[in-house]
Every structure is written in C-alpha cells, then in structure tokens.
Amino acid sequence: MNNTASNLILIAPWLLLTGLIASLSAYAALDLGKRMQSTESSEGRQWLLGSGLAWGTGVWSVHVLSMNFQPLSYGIGYHPVGLFAAWLAAVGVGMA
C-alpha cells in the first residue's frame, strides 16, 4: 500500500469526526438563527449569541482537529491565548 493510501486510512476517523462536528454546529446555528428571527429584540440577541457560539465553536473545533491530521516532521504547539483569540474571532464572525 502506498503512503497516501495509508495516511488516508489513518485520518479517516478524524475526517468523519470533523464532518460530524461541522454538520451539527451548522444545524444548531441555523436552528438558533431561525428562532432569533421569530422573537422580540432582547430575546433575539440571546438566540444570536447562542447561534454565534454554536457556529464559531464548530468552526474552531474543526480547524484545531484538522491541524492534527497530517503528521509533520516537526512538533506543533498551541498557545492558549492564541487558541482563545481564534475562538473569539470565530464566534464573532458567527454572530455577524
């Protein structure tokens, strides 16, 4: 078996996991967004926050998991402040 096929077999469970996370977060964000439209302004803001959190956290999670798919010849580290800033950016975009 060639190297590409063996890598695909190793990362297939991760690909399925990220697909599931992306699908569930998109569904939750769209559902919460639909609820936002059918409520008054103060409640709508709460639904918007929930929608942004769902979408942003889903995108962020898929990004972090995807960074670990391909084995690299050097180590990757994550800085907690950088991870939090990326999550905040994703949530902010999700609420836009």
Side-chain angles (χ1 to χ4, degrees):
M1 186 177 331
N2 64 20
N3 195 19
T4 304
S6 64
N7 282 345
L8 185 59
I9 290 170
L10 291 174
I11 66 170
W14 292 107
L15 290 173
L16 292 173
L17 177 64
T18 56
L20 179 67
I21 290 170
S23 298
L24 289 175
S25 67
Y27 175 79
L30 290 172
D31 185 56
L32 292 171
K34 198 181 330 176
R35 292 178 190 206
M36 177 191 71
Q37 292 177 343
S38 64
T39 61
E40 296 180 21
S41 63
S42 63
E43 260 184 49
R45 285 189 213 113
Q46 293 173 349
W47 289 118
L48 175 64
L49 176 63
S51 176
L53 285 169
W55 188 85
T57 301
V59 167
W60 177 82
S61 299
V62 168
H63 170 75
V64 170
L65 286 172
S66 297
M67 290 297 292
N68 294 311
F69 280 163
Q70 185 64 32
L72 301 172
S73 59
Y74 52 88
I76 295 179
Y78 296 104
H79 194 275
V81 175
L83 281 175
F84 183 68
W87 177 78
L88 276 180
V91 170
V93 169
M95 290 175 51

